[in-house]
Amino acid sequence: MKNEQSQITDIFGINVFNDAVMRQRLPKNIYKQFAAIRQGQGDFTIRIADVIANAMKDWALEKGATHFCHWFQPMTGLTAEKHDSFISPTPDGKTIMEFSGKLLVQGEPDASSFPSGGLRATFEARGYTAWDCTSPVFVKGKTLYIPCAFCSYTGEALDKKTPLLRSMEAVSKQAVRVLKALGQANVQSVTSTLGPEQEYFLIDRGFFEKRLDLVLTGRTLFGAPSPRGQEMDDHYFGTLHERIAAYMNDVNTELWKLGVSATTQHNEVSPAQYELAPVFTTVNVATDHNQLTMETLEKVALRHHFVCLLNEKPFVGVNGSGKHNNWSMVTDTGVNLLDPGSTPHENMVFLVFLCAVIRAVDKYAKLLRASVANTGNEHRLGANEAPPAIVSVFLGDQLNDILEQLAAGGAKSSQKGGELKLGISTLPPLPKDCTDRNRTSPFAFTGNRFEFRMVGSTQSCSGPSFVINTIVADVLSEIAGALEKARDVRKETHKLLKKIAKDHHRVVFNGDNYADAWVVEAEKRGLPNIRSTVESLETITEKEHVTLFKKHKVLTKQELYARTEILLEGYSGSINIEALTMLNIAKRQIMPACIEYSGRLASSMGIVADAGVVCNSMQTILEKVCGLIDELGAGIEALETTVDKAQSISKPNMQARAYRDTVIPAMATVRQAADALEMLVDADLWPLPSYAEMLFLR
Ligand code: ADP
Ligand code: MG
């Protein structure tokens, strides 16, 4: 039996056509040219593509593949794939396995069934997929997967990957300019990096299948609170249950084979909630890997008779799930630009990049907020266990002190962390970080990167990442502009840092983001607090944002408007499904159970009365149940009316507003009556598994 360590190294990346495989299988000159192309240098010719495609096919066939697919990420936020076989007929009636460069680099899926936000008329069905050679191809099952960008016939981006790739170029270009101005001419490119921590719930498949709300919407639309919730704080980092540990092992193995470096796993705060984190990599590959991770978490769960819930808020009353996007920038010379070093006050490059991020976050807070606005997150953001909808930056004591020094004229010292002595002679002294953690901050500096915590657990990492890249690129371009013109770069840098430290100190908040006092304080500071998804999505097309994306060639005005429309329609569409599902369950499962119970109660009362006993409690319960049945009935009718009305509105933002202002409150009324009934009706008659069962039974 092999130990686990050698197992990992044996299987890691075994199904990936990675650099090592290419080096081994491609002719030397082709490998070299291709390596340069991936760095953005040199032309991609069809001859190179042909050679690579052929090597890829041979490798994939050895791995048992029979098909290939262009794997892309349309605006649904999910991935899409269309499989074609390698089989090609020969004139003599036989077949050979073939794969050309043309098939590798370009595909032509019918684009008409993917959301386009009006970018593509239905009669112009044609769309193109283009190979993204910066993300490695891999074999999964019997198919060779080729990561691709997806665009319309006229070249507009119809996917999540295209703007991300464009934003990576933007941030690289501006960062290189700044570095050059600061005297670092040897840097050719800068890559943005991402390590997304993924939260999720696991519940037993048996319970899942009995709940149409979970099956159709991914979250519970009914459910009285469990007598025990998360108040004991005993789940976070708790010992892993055997069944869960077996599941996680299986997930890791699957991911390692695909080259996804899943490393950290632990229980999360809520019962039945867990987290998985990979080792960070370039933003683009990390985003692809996160899609594979979500898919694998769901698929492997079924094998273990679990269901993995990725929804942002599957259960009311316990924590929701997010994705913590750890983001930074690294040079091609290997320097992490957000690494402060031991004396950050002297690290000019670090201070410039740190200040650039701070200014970007403050200047474009509304865009960052909008990049995480979706239906699920609306229930999560602003609730007391998640970052509030106010965007602020956590720096910690050391950097906060440096920022204050900068604002006052110049940074002269860095606070030290020191040592932590535990007072026990057998325990070693621990070096203490000079920066504590702040788990409540939506945008926290965590040692050598920023952690954007508002991202929802179902979301593609692309949106939040391309927004961060673009807004940082924008501020870097301002800084580069000023430094390139300056006669004395050192002086100019100090001036810029001072100004940023002064102007944007308001966005820095090191306290408890969940406290009510922060909401008041943030308002005083003039920071936006956009609570609803609709309001937030409406800010995307503000003039300043259109200019920003256009300037850095990330999205055209049309693309930005189209995206906003898709997001608004997605919001309305998902609430519509939730409302219809709720009506279905309320009318066909809950109401009949309540009627049955009230009937039984009434006949029992009759029997008891016949026996000559008056029972007041039975009378009280029956009255309560019947009162709530009336409330439920009225709620159902009201919900039906509001849904009908909302469905008939055609303007996307007006429709989304109707869902938010009328349908969501009507749903809350139905739920309130039903949840109250759940606490009164015979548990054996109740048609849905309870919160307590789902969250605590393994
Ligand atoms: P915590 O839960 O304490 O925040 P984890 O270890 O769960 O930390 O996750 C931290 C994540 O940050 C990992 O995915 C890690 O690879 C990632 N990370 C570390 N350094 C960087 C960096 N320079 N750029 C992007 N992500 C990073
Ligand atoms: Mg973590």
Side-chain angles (χ1 to χ4, degrees):
M1 199 52 199
K2 285 198 166 189
N3 66 27
E4 194 165 355
Q5 193 185 350
S6 66
Q7 255 176 16
I8 298 177
T9 44
D10 281 355
I11 61 171
F12 192 81
I14 195 170
N15 290 338
V16 184
F17 195 72
N18 54 25
D19 200 64
V21 181
M22 282 192 270
R23 194 188 293 262
Q24 192 191 349
R25 292 188 173 240
L26 294 176
K28 235 189 197 132
N29 64 328
I30 298 281
Y31 170 79
K32 263 195 173 154
Q33 286 180 53
F34 183 58
I37 289 164
R38 282 191 297 162
Q39 300 292 326
Q41 295 146 14
D43 285 333
F44 206 161
T45 64
I46 196 71
R47 196 182 71 82
I48 299 176
D50 273 333
V51 178
I52 297 174
N54 199 48
M56 242 178 217
K57 176 207 67 186
D58 289 344
W59 171 83
L61 292 179
E62 286 167 28
K63 296 269 161 215
T66 52
H67 286 64
F68 68 92
C69 80
H70 276 201
W71 183 64
F72 56 103
Q73 299 167 27
M75 290 299 297
T76 53
L78 306 169
T79 59
E81 49 194 76
K82 176 175 162 248
H83 298 211
D84 282 300
S85 85
F86 289 120
I87 295 174
S88 171
T90 56
D92 57 358
K94 296 196 174 139
T95 54
I96 50 164
M97 300 302 249
E98 227 177 25
F99 188 47
S100 66
K102 187 165 178 296
L103 288 174
L104 167 63
V105 299
Q106 187 181 351
E108 222 189 284
D110 183 342
S112 59
S113 304
F114 296 106
S116 78
L119 272 181
R120 182 202 41 71
T122 356
F123 56 89
E124 296 164 333
R126 214 189 278 263
Y128 291 120
T129 49
W131 178 30
D132 162 24
C133 67
T134 61
S135 180
V137 305
F138 55 91
V139 167
K140 190 159 65 82
K142 292 197 165 300
T143 303
L144 175 72
Y145 281 75
I146 304 161
C148 282
F150 177 47
C151 67
S152 73
Y153 182 59
T154 40
E156 281 110 353
L158 291 178
D159 69 343
K160 303 253 171 194
K161 187 184 270 274
T162 307
L164 182 61
L165 293 173
R166 291 175 182 162
S167 75
M168 288 174 75
E169 291 199 358
V171 87
S172 177
K173 183 173 157 193
Q174 303 306 337
V176 167
R177 272 179 75 196
V178 169
L179 288 168
K180 201 162 269 167
L182 291 173
Q184 307 216 349
N186 57 334
V187 175
Q188 307 269 323
S189 66
V190 168
T191 310
S192 35
T193 53
L194 179 71
E197 302 163 50
Q198 176 74 46
E199 292 178 335
Y200 60 94
F201 278 84
L202 272 187
I203 64 163
D204 191 273
R205 189 170 172 174
F207 297 137
F208 174 83
E209 285 169 357
K210 290 200 189 100
R211 298 210 46 144
L212 197 63
D213 48 2
L214 285 179
V215 173
L216 296 183
T217 73
R219 72 183 190 97
T220 55
L221 300 171
F222 296 100
S226 160
R228 177 184 182 138
Q230 64 185 46
E231 60 282 80
M232 303 296 284
D233 284 332
D234 54 354
H235 193 254
Y236 189 58
F237 280 17
T239 316
L240 288 177
H241 189 280
E242 231 169 77
R243 218 181 134 196
I244 307 287
Y247 162 76
M248 286 178 172
N249 280 340
D250 217 2
V251 167
N252 288 342
T253 307
E254 294 272 330
L255 289 176
W256 289 336
K257 285 192 214 160
L258 294 171
V260 181
S261 53
T263 53
T264 314
Q265 57 198 27
H266 57 77
N267 284 357
E268 257 303 326
V269 173
S270 164
Q273 192 186 30
Y274 309 91
E275 183 193 280
L276 181 150
V279 174
F280 73 97
T281 174
T282 67
V283 149
N284 177 35
V285 175
T287 300
D288 286 359
H289 280 180
N290 181 250
Q291 293 286 358
L292 286 174
T293 301
M294 291 195 283
E295 192 189 301
T296 305
L297 285 168
E298 289 184 321
K299 189 182 75 184
V300 175
L302 300 180
R303 262 190 238 155
H304 290 253
H305 212 266
F306 282 125
V307 170
C308 169
L309 303 175
L310 291 171
N311 191 286
E312 282 80 6
K313 195 75 188 177
F315 302 98
V316 168
V318 294
N319 275 10
S321 298
K323 199 162 337 220
H324 295 172
N325 278 21
N326 294 270
W327 175 93
S328 187
M329 294 163 281
V330 64
T331 65
D332 58 346
T333 51
V335 178
N336 176 357
L337 293 168
L338 291 177
D339 187 348
S342 51
T343 48
H345 70 282
E346 295 170 335
N347 188 342
M348 195 54 88
V349 170
F350 165 72
L351 291 178
V352 167
F353 280 85
L354 177 79
C355 286
V357 177
I358 294 172
R359 173 162 160 79
V361 172
D362 191 23
K363 189 170 172 198
Y364 295 111
K366 283 193 271 182
L367 260 190
L368 273 178
R369 164 70 182 99
S371 77
V372 299
N374 73 4
T375 321
N377 237 0
E378 186 161 73
H379 304 291
R380 180 177 160 258
L381 294 180
N384 72 342
E385 80 283 355
I390 306 162
V391 178
S392 69
V393 176
F394 169 81
L395 288 181
D397 293 340
Q398 189 192 47
L399 293 184
N400 194 51
D401 173 58
I402 290 180
L403 201 72
E404 278 167 7
Q405 291 186 50
L406 286 173
K412 305 232 161 23
S413 63
S414 302
Q415 291 177 4
K416 290 271 170 272
E419 269 186 356
L420 205 61
K421 295 208 176 73
L422 296 170
I424 302 163
S425 59
T426 50
L427 291 179
L430 303 174
K432 196 175 148 200
D433 271 338
C434 32
T435 295
D436 192 11
R437 293 297 183 97
N438 181 325
R439 289 181 56 84
T440 69
S441 172
F443 205 90
F445 186 78
T446 47
N448 60 0
R449 59 189 185 269
F450 276 99
E451 185 171 339
F452 186 29
R453 302 214 184 92
M454 292 169 101
V455 184
S457 47
T458 58
Q459 278 194 280
S460 157
C461 299
S462 163
S465 301
F466 85 67
V467 167
I468 296 178
N469 281 349
T470 312
I471 63 179
V472 171
D474 192 56
V475 175
L476 289 174
S477 80
E478 294 171 356
I479 295 176
L483 295 184
E484 283 160 2
K485 274 197 298 228
R487 267 203 249 134
D488 184 336
V489 172
R490 233 190 122 71
K491 242 191 190 160
E492 182 66 24
T493 311
H494 279 295
K495 206 175 102 193
L496 284 172
L497 293 181
K498 182 174 176 182
K499 182 160 168 48
I500 292 179
K502 268 186 154 165
D503 290 354
H504 300 289
H505 200 252
R506 65 170 198 162
V507 81
V508 176
F509 180 62
N510 294 309
D512 181 1
N513 282 256
Y514 298 174
D516 294 337
W518 169 231
V519 177
V520 180
E521 162 76 12
E523 199 179 335
K524 266 196 227 144
R525 294 190 191 186
L527 302 178
N529 180 7
I530 304 173
R531 289 186 187 83
S532 88
T533 302
V534 187
E535 269 172 288
S536 175
L537 294 177
E538 284 172 352
T539 66
I540 296 178
T541 47
E542 285 176 5
K543 209 166 149 218
E544 203 191 355
H545 301 154
V546 175
T547 312
L548 167 82
F549 286 116
K550 193 170 152 217
K551 177 177 171 199
H552 297 285
K553 300 194 172 63
V554 174
L555 289 169
T556 64
K557 184 174 176 182
Q558 287 87 333
E559 287 172 333
L560 196 63
Y561 270 81
R563 249 151 232 272
T564 308
E565 197 173 309
I566 293 170
L567 293 168
L568 285 165
E569 283 170 358
Y571 176 79
S572 299
S574 53
I575 296 175
N576 189 56
I577 294 173
E578 288 185 356
L580 296 181
T581 306
M582 178 169 239
L583 286 169
N584 194 308
I585 296 173
K587 293 200 302 198
R588 301 182 57 227
Q589 292 186 280
I590 294 179
M591 190 59 115
C594 296
I595 292 171
E596 167 72 21
Y597 181 61
S598 60
R600 281 194 202 175
L601 204 56
S603 63
S604 301
M605 275 173 71
I607 297 166
V608 170
D610 285 349
V613 180
V614 180
C615 179
N616 289 330
S617 291
M618 288 172 91
Q619 174 84 22
T620 314
I621 297 172
L622 185 61
E623 277 168 12
K624 272 193 191 157
V625 169
C626 289
L628 286 166
I629 289 178
D630 277 344
E631 272 178 39
L632 182 64
I636 289 171
E637 268 182 47
L639 179 57
E640 280 174 332
T641 314
T642 58
V643 172
D644 279 349
K645 246 199 195 142
Q647 281 175 345
S648 69
I649 301 172
S650 57
K651 246 185 121 206
N653 68 327
M654 296 316 284
Q655 186 180 46
R657 279 172 179 264
Y659 276 101
R660 181 196 63 187
D661 297 337
T662 62
V663 177
I664 289 180
M667 287 175 72
T669 308
V670 171
R671 177 167 189 159
Q672 206 176 10
D675 289 358
L677 280 161
E678 186 183 341
M679 300 309 290
L680 289 172
V681 171
D682 182 345
D684 288 337
L685 282 178
W686 197 255
L688 306 172
S690 69
Y691 267 34
E693 290 168 303
M694 289 186 286
L695 290 170
F696 289 95
L697 286 184
R698 300 277 173 277

